[in-house]
Amino acid sequence: MVDDASLRAERERRILEVLLSLNEGEVTTYGDVADVAGYPKMSRLVGRIVGHTDVDVPWWRVVNASGHLRSSNPQLQADILAEEDVIVRNSRVVDAPLGRFARHP
């Protein structure tokens, strides 16, 4: 039998694994991270983990489903994304080299 603490730890481990696998210029959503980690419909959990983990994750590469920046410092997030060739307008990702918002030729 697995206890609640073990389940929480496993969820966090799998979500952190997905976050750490994101590449430069790749922008994804909280929901996509949850799906890939095996926890569909748990986007809020991803947000909590991104906001509270001590692990150095690329938090700036994760946005909400519509592409809006939802970090505590959206200007910093936009600046870091711009360094990765991601286009942000009005606090929303409109184009990225990789991921959900990837450019199409």
Side-chain angles (χ1 to χ4, degrees):
M1 186 167 154
V2 180
D3 62 27
D4 286 346
S6 295
L7 286 173
R8 283 193 302 273
E10 176 64 10
R11 284 181 181 154
E12 183 170 351
R13 184 194 65 76
R14 290 174 63 178
I15 288 168
L16 289 172
E17 188 175 274
V18 173
L19 292 167
L20 291 169
S21 74
L22 297 174
N23 295 304
E24 183 175 322
E26 183 175 6
V27 181
T28 191
T29 68
Y30 296 100
D32 288 344
V33 171
D35 285 345
V36 172
Y39 304 107
K41 308 225 184 264
M42 296 189 86
S43 59
R44 288 179 185 212
L45 175 61
V46 174
R48 279 194 300 276
I49 290 171
V50 167
H52 295 98
T53 185
D54 291 332
V55 177
D56 189 19
V57 296
W59 57 268
W60 60 92
R61 296 180 181 144
V62 186
V63 298
N64 76 6
S66 64
H68 284 92
L69 310 182
R70 292 292 182 229
S71 71
S72 61
N73 189 337
Q75 187 57 56
L76 174 61
Q77 186 176 11
D79 292 345
I80 297 171
L81 287 171
E83 291 173 8
E84 296 187 0
D85 201 27
V86 175
I87 299 170
V88 176
R89 290 194 188 110
N90 299 319
S91 294
R92 182 176 175 268
V93 173
V94 295
D95 201 7
L98 300 168
R100 175 180 279 247
F101 305 93
R103 300 178 181 111
H104 297 92

